[in-house]
Amino acid sequence: SYCEPGAAAPLPCEKGSYSNVATNLTAAGECTACPAGSACSTGSIEPTPCSPGTFAAKEGQSKCESCDPGTSSNQGSVACDECVAGKYAANAGQSLCNLCPHPLSSVSGSTICSICMDGYYLRNTSADPGDILTSPTEYCKPCPPNAACPDNTTLSSLVLLRGFWRASPSSAVLTECGDFGGDGEAGKQRCAGSEAEASGRRRMEEASSSDEYCASGFTGPECQLCAAENHYLVDGDECKECAPRGAAAAIIAGIVFALCAACGLVAWAYSKTEWRKKRYIGRLLRFADRTVYIYVAIGLTAKTKVLFGFYQISTVLSSTYSARLPDKYTGWTDNLANVISVDWSGFFLPEQCLGYALRLLAIALSPVALIALLMIAGISLRLYRWRAAPAPRERPWYAEAALGLLDLTPAGLVLIFCFVPSISASIFRSWSCQAYTISPPGEELEQVSYMRQDASVECGTDDHESIKNLAIGFIVLWPVGSLV
């Protein structure tokens, strides 16, 4: 208190100040201002420290103010401290911040825990924060393998490690990117994941049309397609420009014609009886005669049919039934299948350059053309000899042409027998699709599928339907037609 001159009694110090001196104070201004972090009511003889959960930022305060939600304070505080990450204060005037329940976390100054802690991701970002706090394990799910989940990770912001890909930001199913002809690191080169350095590089390269999880220059499922048009994947991690289709088609046609011409020449030479007396070619023809004689004499025809039957089964066993015989039995069949796989277009024009519809046409029709040319060669040889024979001739030209057709029919049947497994497998691969999950966990399963043989074609689309319709037509021509 203080005592003014002439006053009959002492007066109390005003609020916001105090005096613990009994005498000698003659004015209110001589009272001591209440220090920050405390409050002084009227007539206080000493300051009262602010209680926990309150503060006084300046001196001369008559009362302490409550801390805002998201903050807390100790006794005698001049300011409230924000709750650190992982804690929250829902109400005003809290002396302590509450620890977030497992597996929730929070940012600094939070009034509620509505984000997931390190190692977990938030499944539904549209959920009410109160519901998340009430049922944390229903909304925060463990981070999936091959992904990183720092604090405040959501399903869409999962950090995919390099070498992994997913079909949608709403999916928690990650797929390891295949090598596709490259070494063990090819998948990591194409699939950049969502690592910070990869994401930064993709943002800087504005020309890139890559998918979200693909490195620059790649797109599609598992980043196996080249983003640039008319390019194809090489060694699993490099894109090269496709060669002109016309040049590749001309090369294929030339090879087929050359094979037919060679077969025709061999057949023509074998028919020359007088040539067997010649010095060089005669030895070859006589050796061919002895080989045919031995082949027939020891009954190799039936054994050859059995061997071809084994070849047909073993070459499609893996692709049809996902099973394999021991390598010591099927090694030679795999090598033979690679030689007569009939996908000649792949040697001159890679898969991504042609598209599966055109490849299927080439695969299914090129053997037909080869067999047709072989038949034409047989007919031509017969007609050539018929024309060279003196009149009167033994039979009319059309009868001679029919005999020429019959001459090479066995060879044509052998070719059909060889080609049926690989061609049939190619036809039925039109229905072979690789599925990827796009639905969030806990919801009805939803997937998107792409053709295994042409990842640019999404299964179930019009493009895929046209390929399947084409394949149905070829089923009549090959798997069914070869039996007929």
Side-chain angles (χ1 to χ4, degrees):
S1 61
Y2 63 95
C3 189
E4 292 183 347
L11 299 175
C13 288
E14 297 177 353
K15 59 182 181 180
S17 62
Y18 72 97
S19 172
N20 58 6
V21 180
T23 59
N24 299 328
L25 295 183
T26 60
E30 295 179 1
C31 293
T32 304
C34 199
S38 61
C40 300
S41 60
T42 302
S44 295
I45 60 173
E46 62 181 9
T48 301
C50 292
S51 61
T54 63
F55 73 102
K58 300 182 294 182
E59 64 177 21
Q61 301 299 309
S62 60
K63 62 178 181 179
C64 298
E65 298 181 25
S66 295
C67 290
D68 292 332
T71 63
S72 67
S73 68
N74 297 318
Q75 182 173 323
S77 295
V78 298
C80 298
D81 298 321
E82 285 189 340
C83 295
V84 297
K87 293 185 177 183
Y88 74 106
N91 303 311
Q94 288 195 203
S95 60
L96 293 173
C97 294
N98 301 320
L99 186 66
C100 290
H102 182 82
L104 294 178
S105 186
S106 65
V107 297
S108 298
S110 292
T111 61
I112 194 171
C113 296
S114 58
I115 64 174
C116 299
M117 65 185 299
D118 184 29
Y120 293 81
Y121 69 91
L122 184 61
R123 181 173 60 87
N124 184 4
T125 55
S126 62
D128 182 82
D131 293 338
I132 296 174
L133 182 62
T134 304
S135 305
T137 55
E138 183 179 343
Y139 293 95
C140 286
K141 299 298 180 181
C143 197
N146 306 308
C149 297
D151 282 348
N152 200 15
T153 296
T154 63
L155 179 58
S156 62
S157 64
L158 286 176
V159 180
L160 273 64
L161 302 184
R162 182 172 282 275
F164 290 86
W165 175 90
R166 60 175 173 170
S168 168
S170 62
S171 172
V173 180
L174 310 186
T175 302
E176 184 175 7
C177 296
D179 296 333
F180 297 108
D183 56 23
E185 297 296 316
K188 293 183 179 180
Q189 295 298 322
R190 298 192 323 275
C191 300
S194 50
E195 296 172 322
E197 64 271 19
S199 300
R201 184 177 67 253
R202 292 199 305 271
R203 285 193 298 269
M204 292 174 61
E205 297 177 356
E206 297 179 358
S208 172
S209 58
S210 308
D211 287 350
E212 182 177 356
Y213 306 106
C214 297
S216 175
F218 299 97
T219 187
E222 299 183 44
C223 308
Q224 60 181 289
L225 302 177
C226 295
E229 292 185 4
N230 200 36
H231 281 67
Y232 67 99
L233 189 66
V234 180
D235 297 331
D237 59 2
E238 182 183 1
C239 287
K240 289 187 176 180
E241 188 173 3
C242 299
R245 290 185 181 180
I251 294 174
I252 295 173
I255 291 176
V256 172
F257 180 79
L259 287 173
C260 291
C263 292
L265 288 174
V266 169
W268 176 70
Y270 188 75
S271 66
K272 294 290 185 179
T273 305
E274 65 275 13
W275 283 14
R276 281 159 175 77
K277 297 179 181 180
K278 294 183 178 292
R279 182 175 181 182
Y280 295 108
I281 194 171
R283 293 178 180 177
L284 294 175
L285 294 175
R286 292 193 298 272
F287 176 77
D289 289 338
R290 287 194 295 270
T291 301
V292 171
Y293 174 79
I294 295 172
Y295 177 86
V296 174
I298 63 179
L300 281 180
T301 301
K303 296 179 178 64
T304 303
K305 290 181 179 180
V306 172
L307 189 63
F308 268 120
F310 174 77
Y311 157 76
Q312 287 184 317
I313 294 172
S314 62
T315 51
V316 299
L317 193 63
S318 176
S319 60
T320 305
Y321 300 105
S322 298
R324 279 192 61 84
L325 295 174
D327 289 339
K328 64 180 179 179
Y329 299 122
T330 60
W332 69 273
T333 63
D334 291 342
N335 295 332
L336 182 60
N338 291 333
V339 173
I340 59 175
S341 64
V342 198
D343 190 4
W344 300 327
S345 61
F347 290 104
F348 307 102
L349 204 60
E351 298 177 358
Q352 294 182 20
C353 298
L354 194 58
Y356 197 70
L358 291 177
R359 283 176 55 212
L360 189 59
L361 281 170
I363 291 170
L365 295 182
S366 55
V368 174
L370 178 62
I371 295 170
L373 289 174
L374 190 64
M375 298 297 103
I376 292 173
I379 294 172
S380 300
L381 286 173
R382 277 280 185 172
L383 292 178
Y384 173 79
R385 289 197 296 267
W386 176 83
R387 188 174 182 181
R393 297 179 176 88
E394 184 179 353
R395 58 184 68 87
W397 68 269
Y398 52 85
E400 196 72 20
L403 290 175
L405 185 65
L406 292 175
D407 286 342
L408 293 181
T409 295
L413 293 175
V414 170
L415 289 177
I416 292 174
F417 207 71
C418 291
F419 290 145
V420 161
S422 60
I423 294 176
S424 299
S426 296
I427 292 172
F428 287 111
R429 287 189 187 111
S430 300
W431 285 269
S432 179
C433 296
Q434 177 66 51
Y436 301 97
T437 300
I438 59 175
S439 56
E443 297 186 9
E444 184 179 354
L445 181 63
E446 185 178 354
Q447 294 181 318
V448 61
S449 302
Y450 298 91
M451 288 188 65
R452 286 188 171 91
Q453 303 302 312
D454 187 352
S456 65
V457 178
E458 183 178 343
C459 296
T461 60
D462 292 341
D463 289 341
H464 187 222
E465 289 299 320
S466 64
I467 292 174
K468 290 195 296 183
N469 292 336
L470 183 64
I472 291 172
F474 286 137
I475 288 176
V476 177
L477 176 64
W478 279 102
V480 176
S482 62
L483 296 176
V484 176

